[in-house]
Amino acid sequence: MELNQIDPDLILIVIWKRWLKWKKMKQTRQQRKVVKRRILKLFVIWKLMVLQEENARHRIWVRPIFRERQRLFQGASENLVREMEFQDHEMFYNYTRMSREMFDELMVIVGPFIEKQCVVRDPIPARIRLLVCLRYLASGDTMASIAYAFRIGISTVSKIISETCEVLWNTLHESVFPEINEENWLKIANDFETKWNFPHCIGAIDGKHVVIQSPPRSGSTFYNYKGNHSISLLAVCDANYCFTLVDIGAEGRQSDGGIFAHSNFDQRFERNQMNLPEPRPIEASGPALPFVLVADEAFALTRYMMRPYPRSGHLNRQRKIFNYRLSRARRMIESAFGILVAKWRIYRRSIIASVSTAVKIVQATICLHNFIIQKENKLPLSERHYIGMLNEERAVINGALQEVNDAGRTNAHARIASRNRDDFAAYFENSGAVPWQWEKGLLDDF
């Protein structure tokens, strides 16, 4: 029998029994020496076996299929990605959801923050860490599938995705979100008026449920009206499909209006801390109208929020036309969500991660969404990938349509907001009319 087939614990038992027997027996000095030497030999053998077992256990840092050699020869990062990077740029875009030039630019920004120091073993390079994160977000595959493709341990992949998503948010959010000032609000309003014929609009707002695996011991906290568990993404976007304000992580059981009412930026709107431009007339002889967000029925009508007239009652021509014009501008946020979901397919399945990691994933995709669109807007129209993606797959993602409790808002504010909506409706029917609105409005074809 070979030494490595013997159980060390069995040898230890034999040593213990012989030592007890040796103490009890009456022997000559010579006999005692012989027995003592045998016991010592067994002890040395036991010790060597224990050390051998410990060395074997510590020598295997990772499974053989995940070793660095296997990663270099068979991992996706050093083979498939390299091949696409140099030979097929279109497939590289499909794989990472960005061009090679954008990837290199992103690598310069986030690389220093995800690079690891060499201590005992060579760390996984920053480039591979970024590729792992982007592929996970773009494909919607499980972390185990990503681990097998890149030849990296599953627990390592999980940690890489969490850390990289956090770094993407920390390094990008200040540059990809517009600064909250009057100049930027006016620019957004001008884009909405030019492209979508809705003046004084500073953004379209809506909510989206991000489906997650049920968190442990959460009960019905994250259970939404669609019958699954989720966190909410409440977002405002401009006329170019870029997100300008976001609130991420609210429990899925809450309605869009309720989340907005408790959000940080709603409180800032209420306190006049958003640096909005002062109300001004759209035309010389008209009334001064405020700058507003456009929303659906899930949100309350306020001085900074326009929602459609209720469809429950009989609507005259003026109100139908207003609802059409508002719907036309509000589609921007639905289109922005459609682009987000089509590009980052992690949203097409339940995210199997903790709530904190799910929030980081949403934060990262929002930043990447803005980063890519802002870069592509500088390209010719034919080279903008998100335009084709929007036409191919226009996902309309609505939040819950419950009414929000309007407590805390005075009747005077409600009357002012209602009057502002009527003034917008009058403008759209008269001097602000567009030729195609009459048929759309009268037929409710929107």
Side-chain angles (χ1 to χ4, degrees):
M1 183 179 291
E2 296 181 5
L3 190 63
N4 58 7
Q5 295 178 342
I6 301 174
D7 187 358
D9 293 337
L10 183 61
I11 295 178
L12 195 61
I13 292 171
V14 172
I15 293 172
W16 175 252
K17 286 184 176 181
R18 289 200 176 187
W19 182 75
L20 291 176
K21 186 178 180 181
W22 173 70
K23 288 194 69 176
K24 293 179 181 179
M25 289 180 62
K26 295 181 179 180
Q27 299 170 331
T28 63
R29 178 177 292 182
Q30 186 64 28
Q31 288 175 330
R32 291 173 68 87
K33 283 184 178 180
V34 172
V35 176
K36 186 177 181 181
R37 276 198 298 267
R38 289 176 181 173
I39 293 174
L40 287 174
K41 283 182 181 179
L42 286 173
F43 181 79
V44 170
I45 292 172
W46 173 80
K47 187 66 176 177
L48 288 173
M49 291 181 67
V50 170
L51 289 174
Q52 185 179 3
E53 190 177 275
E54 288 181 354
N55 289 336
R57 187 164 58 248
H58 288 299
R59 189 167 58 249
I60 302 176
W61 291 88
V62 296
R63 291 181 178 275
I65 63 170
F66 294 145
R67 286 176 180 164
E68 185 177 8
R69 177 184 175 85
Q70 299 302 112
R71 186 164 66 247
L72 292 174
F73 283 104
Q74 296 180 314
S77 58
E78 300 300 329
N79 295 278
L80 176 63
V81 177
R82 290 289 189 189
E83 188 176 351
M84 292 187 296
E85 194 172 358
F86 294 108
Q87 297 181 17
D88 197 331
H89 292 175
E90 184 178 350
M91 293 306 294
F92 181 86
Y93 188 99
N94 180 268
Y95 193 83
T96 63
R97 297 300 193 259
M98 62 183 67
S99 66
R100 180 183 170 186
E101 293 75 21
M102 283 187 206
F103 178 83
D104 291 338
E105 187 175 345
L106 184 63
M107 188 67 221
V108 171
I109 297 172
V110 305
F113 298 96
I114 59 177
E115 189 72 55
K116 301 294 183 180
Q117 293 183 347
C118 180
V119 180
V120 178
R121 295 172 295 161
D122 291 335
I124 297 174
R127 174 182 170 275
I128 298 180
R129 289 174 175 270
L130 184 57
L131 281 171
V132 166
C133 183
L134 292 178
R135 187 56 190 162
Y136 173 75
L137 299 176
S139 66
D141 286 345
T142 62
M143 292 184 185
S145 297
I146 300 296
Y148 295 138
F150 283 86
R151 298 280 183 152
I152 300 173
I154 297 174
S155 60
T156 306
V157 166
S158 176
K159 189 173 182 181
I160 286 173
I161 290 170
S162 178
E163 290 179 352
T164 307
C165 285
E166 185 174 7
V167 169
L168 285 169
W169 170 262
N170 292 337
T171 55
L172 291 179
H173 79 273
E174 291 186 359
S175 59
V176 299
F177 287 102
E179 187 179 350
I180 298 176
N181 57 42
E182 184 175 343
E183 181 183 355
N184 284 331
W185 289 132
L186 289 173
K187 181 179 181 302
I188 293 172
N190 181 65
D191 287 342
F192 266 102
E193 184 171 10
T194 303
K195 296 180 178 182
W196 307 109
N197 308 107
F198 201 105
H200 288 209
C201 177
I202 56 170
I205 184 171
D206 203 356
K208 168 177 169 46
H209 288 286
V210 179
V211 181
I212 62 172
Q213 188 181 43
S214 175
R217 297 179 296 279
S218 64
S220 61
T221 303
F222 294 91
Y223 193 76
N224 62 41
Y225 76 105
K226 295 183 177 181
N228 46 44
H229 297 265
S230 66
I231 58 174
S232 291
L233 163 61
L234 183 70
V236 178
C237 79
D238 61 17
N240 299 306
Y241 312 110
C242 281
F243 297 108
T244 56
L245 299 170
V246 291
D247 184 276
I248 303 167
E251 297 90 346
R253 61 186 174 84
Q254 300 183 53
S255 69
D256 294 342
I259 295 169
F260 178 71
H262 295 93
S263 67
N264 180 51
F265 53 86
D266 178 57
Q267 303 302 320
R268 295 183 65 182
F269 273 117
E270 281 293 317
R271 298 167 187 159
N272 294 319
Q273 296 175 343
M274 294 296 281
N275 300 322
L276 292 180
E278 290 296 323
R280 61 189 67 178
I282 300 175
E283 51 187 351
S285 59
L289 293 176
F291 288 80
V292 295
L293 299 169
V294 292
D296 59 17
E297 293 90 342
F299 298 87
L301 179 67
T302 66
R303 55 185 170 79
Y304 51 83
M305 182 83 72
M306 279 290 113
R307 55 170 282 173
Y309 288 102
R311 293 175 180 267
S312 57
H314 176 71
L315 299 181
N316 57 27
R317 185 180 71 173
Q318 185 181 86
R319 294 189 172 189
K320 287 182 178 179
I321 290 172
F322 172 83
N323 281 2
Y324 163 66
R325 296 287 291 272
L326 183 140
S327 173
R328 190 165 182 266
R330 195 186 62 80
R331 281 184 302 181
M332 286 302 95
I333 187 62
E334 294 180 351
S335 297
F337 283 149
I339 295 170
L340 182 73
V341 172
K343 186 180 285 285
W344 307 108
R345 299 201 172 196
I346 187 65
Y347 289 106
R348 294 195 172 188
R349 66 172 185 84
S350 176
I351 298 177
I352 304 175
S354 65
V355 174
S356 60
T357 300
V359 169
K360 292 176 185 177
I361 288 171
V362 177
Q363 290 175 332
T365 53
I366 292 294
C367 287
L368 290 170
H369 172 93
N370 280 9
F371 176 80
I372 293 170
I373 287 183
Q374 289 169 7
K375 298 298 179 185
E376 289 191 345
N377 279 343
K378 299 176 183 178
L379 301 174
L381 193 64
S382 59
E383 297 180 26
R384 299 181 190 177
H385 291 78
Y386 70 89
I387 296 295
M389 187 171 294
L390 179 62
N391 293 333
E392 173 190 352
E393 163 172 13
R394 187 179 293 272
V396 180
I397 305 153
N398 292 317
L401 298 181
Q402 294 94 341
E403 292 290 338
V404 62
N405 184 4
D406 209 27
R409 307 187 190 277
T410 65
N411 291 332
H413 286 171
R415 286 195 299 270
I416 293 172
S418 182
R419 187 170 67 245
N420 288 335
R421 181 167 62 180
D422 292 339
D423 290 338
F424 271 107
Y427 169 75
F428 290 145
E429 189 183 28
N430 297 299
S431 58
V434 292
W436 60 86
Q437 73 180 26
W438 309 107
E439 182 180 0
K440 293 279 187 180
L442 292 176
L443 296 177
D444 278 350
D445 187 19
F446 54 91

